[in-house]
Amino acid sequence: MQSDKTFATRFGVIAATVGSAVGLGNIWRFPYECGANGGSAFLLAYIGFVIVLGIPVICAEFVVGRASGTNVAGAFRKLGAGRLWQSIGVMGITASFFIMGFYSVVAGWCMDYIWQSATGFGGVASQTELHTRFDEIVASPLRPVAWTIAFLVVNFMVISRGVQKGIERISNLLMPLLFVILAVFCVNSLLMPGAAEGMAFLFKPDFSKLDGDALLSAMGQAFFSLSVGMGALITYSSYFSKKTSLVKTAGITAALDTLVAVMAAIVIFPACFSFGQEPAAGPRLVFEVLPSIFMSLPGGQIWGTMFFILLFVASLTSTISLSEVVIACMEGEWKMSRGKATLIEGGAVTVMAVLSSLSFGALSGWTIFGMNFFNLLDFLSSNILLPAGGVLISIYVGWVLDRRIVSRQLTPPGHTRSVWVAPVSFCLRFIAPPAILAIFIFGLL
Ligand code: PHE
């Protein structure tokens, strides 16, 4: 019998990995980062980072995960790596907590908006009313906290069911659904009055906007959206069978992830221009722009409900991979049962999430480096921990790990050395580490 610690089918591998990658990062974060950083030039920089940094680092994580067959805390030790490399595990666990801390708050807002769309936003009509409503909702003391906790309960219920019955089953079901719903929205969006302006904003590059800050954001976004740099993909690939082609899985994941981000932008920007709204509105963008589209459409309540269900689904398959990083460590390193690990991790994440939810209301006066707790968690994870993890993982797989292991892992069974071994290794050795470091320094200055 196959153990529960591997994905059962090839479709399951893709669904789970793409499920991890595709999430709020694509549909909520990408459009507002793109909007705030000049639109199309950001998109081009982003795609460049996905190709030269993203795909090679995904491959590197896959190599470590499948070669070691274990969680982030144990993987580097098992491959014989020293303490420096083992610290990637500690950084990964920290990043998992930080990301869960703000991500589940946004997922909670999505659940709230499912309910609100279904009830027609209580008859609210104007843009100003939608704006005020978002402010009121996120700042209220109980409502967003309750939704966030509801989201975390669903997340940890799925995860407690294990790899095949929990993660794989839910991803197989939900990921195809997500593509269908998003495609319907794209078609609708291209028929809107602001479609031409929206498309020009997204596809006609204005390089004057691409400064160090924008480049750091594009790189951080690429890491965040592809789920690389913190071991989520190390953990998942430890569940891959020997037959899974790593390079192909990395390529498909990056391509589908980018496609969903571009589709989300195609849904959002025409709507912005049709309704005279700022593409640079920040985290509130999808929560404000989209309800105005829904309300203007026949059957808007159904559209709106579907859209926020889609966001909820996308978030769930990502938070599952984020929490699995820590749960796999607790099971593997500290020999805890899955149930106990889920409870402890769930409790710790809930504390972070409640604090970050309250940082829009009761705790909004509490800022660190000028950021509230929510923004601080986002900044530290996407722009610091993930790129730092990416540098270390690239150097480890590019320079330290035995090249025979790398080559064997990157070559599908039954083949002699894959043609991809050389270009992937080249990027990991010579491109990823200096490029990530340079952008990092340039962006932080
Ligand atoms: N990639 C996910 C998204 O785009 C977020 C994520 C980051 C998931 C890191 C796992 C690890 O929403």
Side-chain angles (χ1 to χ4, degrees):
M1 211 187 81
Q2 218 173 7
S3 91
D4 176 61
K5 283 285 181 191
T6 44
F7 291 125
T9 62
R10 209 177 322 159
F11 186 79
V13 166
I14 300 284
T17 315
V18 174
S20 165
V22 170
L24 291 172
N26 308 60
I27 304 171
W28 162 73
R29 200 173 187 280
F30 178 78
Y32 83 70
E33 285 284 343
C34 187
N37 290 296
S40 50
F42 180 89
L43 175 65
L44 280 181
Y46 175 78
I47 292 178
F49 288 139
V50 168
I51 296 171
V52 298
L53 305 178
I55 297 179
V57 184
I58 298 180
C59 289
E61 288 208 23
F62 282 173
V63 166
V64 171
R66 194 171 59 185
S68 66
T70 192
N71 59 75
V72 275
F76 293 89
R77 183 170 22 87
K78 197 147 173 215
L79 293 173
R83 285 207 178 271
L84 169 66
W85 312 110
Q86 291 181 32
S87 70
I88 298 174
V90 179
M91 279 168 42
I93 293 173
T94 316
S96 163
F97 276 111
F98 284 8
I99 299 176
M100 284 298 287
F102 74 89
Y103 205 97
S104 46
V105 173
V106 183
W109 298 343
C110 292
M111 285 175 88
D112 192 334
Y113 271 70
I114 296 177
W115 165 249
Q116 290 204 56
S117 311
T119 52
F121 289 89
V124 162
S126 73
Q127 208 50 69
T128 337
E129 280 172 309
L130 283 170
H131 187 89
T132 328
R133 174 163 280 231
F134 179 78
D135 283 338
E136 276 169 13
I137 289 178
V138 302
S140 75
L142 275 181
R143 183 171 171 164
V145 172
W147 281 115
T148 302
I149 294 177
F151 176 80
L152 288 173
V153 169
V154 177
N155 177 67
F156 287 107
M157 264 163 48
V158 175
I159 213 157
S160 68
R161 297 183 57 86
V163 176
Q164 279 182 16
K165 289 209 195 79
I167 302 176
E168 184 170 358
R169 198 178 279 175
I170 199 136
S171 308
N172 285 348
L173 183 76
L174 298 182
M175 292 319 291
L177 182 71
L178 185 141
F179 272 94
V180 174
I181 303 184
L182 203 55
V184 173
F185 275 110
C186 274
V187 173
N188 170 59
S189 162
L190 292 172
L191 300 173
M192 298 190 93
E197 226 179 318
M199 289 298 106
F201 178 74
L202 187 61
F203 294 115
K204 254 210 216 125
D206 170 5
F207 290 104
S208 64
K209 299 258 172 50
L210 215 54
D211 53 9
D213 236 12
L215 280 176
L216 178 64
S217 303
M219 182 174 76
Q221 174 62 25
F223 276 83
F224 183 81
S225 188
L226 294 171
S227 307
V228 294
M230 49 81 70
L233 300 180
I234 295 184
T235 313
Y236 269 18
S237 54
S238 72
Y239 307 146
F240 289 0
S241 80
K242 293 280 164 278
K243 283 192 240 128
T244 305
S245 160
L246 299 187
V247 180
K248 204 154 128 203
T249 308
I252 295 177
T253 305
L256 291 179
D257 187 68
T258 308
L259 180 70
V260 173
V262 172
M263 282 167 93
I266 292 180
V267 172
I268 287 165
F269 292 127
C272 273
F273 291 101
S274 303
F275 291 92
Q277 281 181 344
E278 243 324 290
R284 59 193 312 136
L285 188 64
V286 294
F287 293 98
E288 245 176 66
V289 173
L290 293 178
S292 33
I293 319 183
F294 305 140
M295 311 243 277
S296 69
L297 289 176
Q301 273 167 256
I302 301 176
W303 289 114
T305 314
M306 262 171 42
F307 182 83
F308 287 108
I309 291 181
L310 167 108
L311 260 184
F312 165 74
V313 164
S315 335
L316 188 62
T317 50
S318 298
T319 48
I320 287 175
S321 73
L322 282 160
S323 357
E324 182 65 14
V325 169
V326 181
I327 289 182
C329 292
M330 289 164 118
E331 278 186 300
E333 301 303 298
W334 302 313
K335 308 290 169 232
M336 273 183 203
S337 70
R338 194 159 179 95
K340 191 169 171 197
T342 308
L343 273 180
I344 298 180
E345 143 90 346
V349 166
T350 305
V351 174
M352 298 282 280
V354 168
L355 288 177
S356 100
S357 177
L358 291 176
S359 72
F360 287 98
L363 299 179
S364 61
W366 175 41
T367 58
I368 306 164
F369 304 126
M371 289 178 253
N372 68 7
F373 191 58
F374 176 100
N375 290 329
L376 181 75
L377 292 180
D378 183 357
F379 178 82
L380 287 179
S381 48
S382 313
N383 291 1
I384 311 254
L385 286 172
L386 300 188
V391 171
L392 288 175
I393 295 168
S394 317
I395 299 179
Y396 177 70
V397 175
W399 293 98
V400 182
L401 186 62
D402 185 337
R403 306 196 74 175
R404 279 166 305 183
I405 299 184
V406 179
S407 165
R408 202 178 325 121
Q409 288 296 337
L410 291 180
T411 305
H415 291 64
T416 43
R417 195 179 145 96
S418 153
V419 289
W420 293 106
V421 174
V424 168
S425 305
F426 182 83
C427 284
L428 291 176
R429 299 178 123 212
F430 301 108
I431 306 211
I436 299 171
L437 277 176
I439 295 167
F440 200 49
I441 296 167
F442 192 44
L444 287 181
L445 284 182

